[in-house]
Amino acid sequence: MSANVADPSETATQQQRLYADRWSSYGSNTGILQLSDKLSARDLKAYDLFKAYDDKLLDKLTPDISVAKWKAGAVLFEEGSYLDVAFYIVEGTVNLYLQKHQEPASQPIFDTLRLPYVESGDGASAGVPDKTAFVAPYEAKEKPDVQAKPKDSQAAYLATADFNLLHGEEHRLGPGDIFGEIGALNGWPQSVTARTDSECTLVQIRLPALQQLKLRSSDFKNWVDAIYRERTLSEQLKTTPLFHGADERFIEELTQRVGLVSCSPDEQVTVEETPADAFYLVRSGFLRLSQKVGDGEIAVTYLRKGMTLGEVELLVDGIDTWQFSVTAVGFTELVRIARSDFEDLIGRFPAIQGRLWAAAVARIKESGYTRQNLGQPELIEFALDKGLVQGNSILVIDLDVCTRCDDCVRGCASTHGGRPRFVREGDRYDNFLIARSCYHCEDPVCLIGCPTGAIRRANVGEVVEVADDLCIGCGNCANKCPYDAIVMHDTGEVWPDTALPEWLRGKDQKVASKCDLCYTSDAGPACVNNCPHSCAFRINSIEEFQQLQSVDRAQR
């Protein structure tokens, strides 16, 4: 055989090895009795879920689909965990329940008052970011007033719930049921714990395959959307500050009438100057809002999960067309309320109209500011492209002041046992360096698929941490982080012969390392506090970055 021609058997072996590696995070879970080899399109069509799809599509999806047999009593996932996989039950039953008491959520999913607009038009009133003012995003932030449930209510207040269970209540699923897909598609933590009641055969579908199934099949999309309406949407709309004051019956009716829109990357949602016919709430993902300027188009702002679109067009007299062209940035999920339902809503509940006017005024101010400051669109594009819009704490360094002394890195290392948690390099915007330090993202994909739960929310604001005693150094989180903010460090030790899972035995022991915002220290992040030139800042949003730029320009 020619050296330039691949051996089919070797190719097949390599494909199987890659497939096994893709699902290796399950190797440490003793609940799995058997995991399938890479499936063919014909194999998948043996399951009702895939019978309607053509072989060509299924062949593309098969790396992200497995079939596993789980033993009885195995925990599939716990509430609060982030998953990029959904489970479809072929055989057996799965029990869903709340493992621990849930406190009322402090932030609902949809909040029309969360708008990224600039308060001060010229930036003059924005003070210099204090060295400690921006370094503790994990401290309590002011939240919108959220209507509390009655004290005697037993319902768990779960704005992100896949299942709205009472505490102590259980929900049993059987063959033909799917679960986990709402959290996976929307980047939300799972709201319940799932445990097998009996020995179960489950089809496991990762997010890339879920997205393609939803986009390529109206039947699958309608099925998943119907589940979302039944299990989740009503409760989310009831807890939306915008809808406070609307009676439950109206919200229940609205839940059945709204449209659920799934967008592919770069898909257009609205076109500027065409008739405006709906109000949108963003379930997940990002939207880019652009306006025409001369012969071109500029990005005016962006919307993220929880924000809304359409207040201006549906409220202001004389404006009947879209003021923006809106496109999806990545896969995006929207809730669409038709103009007729919107007008019915504000007609019956005047208080809601007042809240919408506040949001509309904010959007108009933001648009005007951007058109007067043409550097703003460039920043918005940069923030969307580099993922800064995800961040709750971003380390930026003023390179015009920085002497490259590396005291920020040494301060970080000395605070973390000699191991620095960030790298002083990264993307540059104007004279600022965006360091390779964890952004503590709103939707942290690094949490997905950790086999031991070592990387997790620290239950202190938005802080994401790695527990060294749980980390097995598999590299899953580092590979998933889009911003290269997680580094794998050698510990200088080797895993013993008793290590679990067994594949670790004899291998070099590594540990994932990332910024934890020094949340256990009263002094705050050492990277900022140890900078001798006060040129390192922690910013919580793009708006704070704008303020930082404005002050920097004023001082030049």
Side-chain angles (χ1 to χ4, degrees), residues 276 278-279 309-324 339 342-343 346 353-365 367:
F279 177 77
L309 171 69
E311 300 92 343
V312 174
E313 291 83 355
L314 300 188
L315 280 178
V316 180
D317 289 339
I319 297 181
D320 298 315
T321 59
W322 288 111
Q323 301 302 291
F324 312 93
R339 176 186 278 272
F342 179 87
E343 292 174 346
I346 62 175
Q353 184 171 355
R355 299 183 196 117
L356 284 165
W357 269 110
V361 169
R363 181 69 39 74
I364 292 170
K365 289 172 65 176
S367 175

Side-chain angles (χ1 to χ4, degrees), residues 420-494:
R421 299 298 184 95
F422 79 98
V423 178
R424 190 183 54 78
E425 61 181 43
D427 294 302
R428 179 169 177 167
Y429 186 84
D430 197 9
N431 57 304
F432 290 97
L433 174 73
I434 313 299
R436 281 174 52 193
S437 177
C438 178
Y439 295 169
H440 298 275
C441 294
E442 185 168 323
D443 294 322
V445 296
C446 59
L447 272 60
I448 296 171
C450 175
T452 65
I455 187 166
R456 61 199 181 187
R457 291 284 195 197
N459 293 323
V460 184
E462 304 294 341
V463 176
V464 176
E465 66 168 352
V466 175
D468 288 356
D469 58 335
L470 295 178
C471 180
I472 60 175
C474 66
N476 179 74
C477 57
N479 292 333
K480 278 192 164 65
C481 176
Y483 315 118
D484 295 326
I486 302 177
V487 178
M488 302 305 299
H489 282 282
D490 282 312
T491 63
E493 300 180 8
V494 174

